[in-house]
Amino acid sequence: MKKRAYKERFYPTPEQALLLAQSFGCARFVWNNTLNYRTEAYQQRDESVSHSVAEKRLVALKADYPWLKDVSSVILQQTLRDQKAAFDNFFNPKLKARYPRFKCKDGRQSIRLTKAAFRYRDGEITIAKTKVPLPIRWSRPLASAPSSITLSRDRAGRYFISCLCEFTPKTLPITPNTVGIDLGLTDLFITHDGQKSGNPRHLKRYEAKLAYLQRRLAKKTKGSNNRHKLRQKVARLHARIADCRRDAIHKATRTLINENQVICVETLNITGMIKNRALAKAISDAGWGEFVRQLTYKAEWAGRQLVQVSQWLPSSKMCHGCGHKVKKLPLSQRHWHCEGCGQAIDRDINAANNIRTAGLAGLACGATGSGAAA
């Protein structure tokens, strides 16, 4: 059994929207207040505030701020647990997580509820302090009763519910097909057999309209209703871009997983690559990190193998036919001729072939010396 989150959209009633606004505000206040207390305790007194101390302090906060009692106590307790998890990730050197940040009122809002704060019955979910189930637009049935739910509202004002459920993944039939993938900007990905996906460039498609709305937003008076309305328009456009990008990546990764037993990809230092100001926008719009993330969990669920090849493999500069390696290959040079065997080489297809070869070799010998890791 594995755990999976089912994310659906819902449209709350006015009473539910008011309760959710109060819940978001209380959770945000407890998070920011506790984070400020932890930070000051460390900076001024060199003390580390434990989770138990933070929970005891929550009782005093409710006494000082009675309006915190208007929402379910589970929400506030879960906020402290989430903050503890954020600090655990920060102090874990392997995760390289950043220090927890304060939450703003205009950003994405979310609360997490355990079974004590909601009821799931007959396909309907009712949260604490309400009597009417949430009007959820179900796109698919849940695999099991959710163990926890996350209610969120994005910057565009849309409400979502994410239900964490246990499910049994269905293993796909074994296929002899294997594929090597090279990620790029002209094409989102290129396979070893020459298939090129193209790049829809979702941000570029809406870039002119986005710039126009942002110019108008910059001229509005801070705190005015007109500024709030225009900020909503900008947020909705950003949400549309993100939805289009996510949908395209889901379709591409699903096709790759369904058709291939082994998928070989290159490990990229995306954080370092986006420091290049000339390519940062294009790399971020391509969504390489999300592409590999979806391949990873979909391969695990479907019984496929994802092999990641080291980024230091000279995949573009080495001929996949004879192994000859050129000394220099500028990024602008998309084709070159091999001096060893004389064949004309497409840079991206050649890289995909080398990635596939290295991935299968590392998978066959069970070693990571070639840079391959399953």
Side-chain angles (χ1 to χ4, degrees):
M1 297 290 288
K2 295 183 181 296
K3 290 188 176 181
R4 176 180 180 179
Y6 293 81
K7 188 175 182 180
E8 307 288 350
R9 190 172 178 181
F10 72 98
Y11 300 84
T13 63
E15 293 79 11
Q16 291 173 342
L18 179 60
L19 176 62
L20 288 174
Q22 292 176 334
S23 302
F24 293 146
C26 292
R28 184 177 63 251
F29 174 81
V30 170
W31 174 283
N32 291 342
N33 189 283
T34 306
L35 179 59
N36 182 66
Y37 179 77
R38 288 176 184 263
T39 305
E40 289 185 350
Y42 180 78
Q43 292 177 347
Q44 299 176 5
R45 303 185 297 275
D46 198 22
E47 295 180 0
S48 179
V49 179
S50 64
H51 177 65
S52 60
V53 173
E55 284 189 324
K56 293 178 182 178
R57 187 172 173 273
L58 180 60
V59 179
L61 280 179
K62 288 184 177 181
D64 295 337
Y65 304 95
W67 41 267
L68 289 176
K69 300 178 182 179
D70 295 340
V71 301
S72 173
S73 60
V74 175
I75 296 174
L76 309 183
Q77 294 168 359
Q78 191 61 49
T79 299
L80 296 181
R81 295 191 191 100
D82 292 341
Q83 190 172 108
K84 177 183 179 298
F87 272 102
D88 290 343
N89 294 338
F90 171 71
F91 288 115
N92 189 338
K94 295 183 179 179
L95 297 180
K96 298 181 181 180
R98 56 188 173 187
Y99 190 81
R101 297 183 298 174
F102 292 97
K103 296 186 177 182
C104 64
K105 185 178 180 179
D106 297 329
R108 177 181 176 274
Q109 308 295 317
S110 68
I111 53 175
R112 194 148 63 95
L113 306 177
T114 57
K115 287 185 177 180
F118 74 92
R119 183 179 70 249
Y120 175 74
R121 184 179 299 170
D122 298 331
E124 295 181 333
I125 295 178
T126 307
I127 62 175
K129 304 286 186 178
T130 63
K131 297 181 180 179
V132 181
L134 295 175
I136 304 173
R137 297 286 181 88
W138 296 105
S139 61
R140 52 192 166 175
L142 298 181
S144 63
S147 59
S148 67
I149 62 173
T150 300
L151 304 175
S152 61
R153 186 188 68 211
D154 63 7
R155 288 175 177 266
R158 302 179 301 177
Y159 291 86
F160 295 94
I161 180 171
S162 179
C163 305
L164 185 63
C165 305
E166 289 187 348
F167 83 111
T168 303
K170 295 182 180 179
T171 303
L172 295 177
I174 296 177
T175 173
N177 298 335
T178 61
V179 65
I181 297 174
D182 179 53
L183 301 178
L185 295 179
T186 304
D187 298 283
L188 178 59
F189 67 91
I190 303 93
T191 62
H192 73 281
D193 56 0
Q195 295 183 9
K196 298 186 177 182
S197 66
N199 189 350
R201 301 182 185 274
H202 302 287
L203 179 60
K204 189 174 183 180
R205 178 183 175 186
Y206 294 100
E207 196 170 15
K209 184 176 181 180
L210 185 62
Y212 168 72
L213 292 177
Q214 288 175 331
R215 285 196 301 268
R216 290 183 57 193
L217 178 63
K219 298 177 182 179
K220 300 298 180 182
T221 304
K222 291 186 177 180
S224 65
N225 289 332
N226 286 336
R227 180 182 176 85
H228 175 72
K229 293 177 183 178
L230 200 53
R231 185 170 54 201
Q232 287 287 97
K233 290 185 178 180
V234 174
R236 284 195 294 268
L237 186 56
H238 274 295
R240 181 183 301 174
I241 296 171
D243 290 344
C244 292
R245 182 186 300 118
R246 192 180 304 109
D247 179 69
I249 293 177
H250 268 296
K251 292 177 180 177
T253 53
R254 174 47 58 191
T255 301
L256 290 170
I257 292 296
N258 288 346
E259 296 178 353
N260 301 280
Q261 185 66 31
V262 180
I263 302 98
C264 305
V265 296
E266 187 177 13
T267 303
L268 298 176
N269 180 16
I270 301 176
T271 303
M273 296 175 70
I274 60 177
K275 293 181 180 179
N276 184 345
R277 298 179 61 183
L279 298 175
K281 184 186 293 186
I283 293 175
S284 299
D285 190 27
W288 291 341
E290 178 66 12
F291 184 86
V292 176
R293 187 191 73 85
Q294 291 187 17
L295 279 179
T296 303
Y297 78 80
K298 289 179 181 180
E300 181 182 359
W301 291 352
R304 306 303 200 199
Q305 279 193 298
L306 179 71
V307 183
Q308 293 184 317
V309 178
S310 172
Q311 59 181 321
W312 304 114
L313 176 74
S315 56
S316 298
K317 297 190 293 184
M318 183 173 64
C319 175
H320 71 275
C322 65
H324 175 76
K325 180 181 175 183
V326 296
K327 294 182 179 180
K328 292 184 179 180
L329 188 64
L331 188 61
S332 59
Q333 186 175 348
R334 311 311 301 174
H335 298 82
W336 56 283
H337 283 79
C338 177
E339 297 179 359
C341 59
Q343 67 171 322
I345 293 178
D346 182 288
R347 177 194 185 107
D348 299 325
I349 299 177
N350 177 68
N353 274 281
N354 286 326
I355 291 172
R356 176 175 177 267
T357 302
L360 294 179
L363 189 63
C365 66
T368 58
S370 63

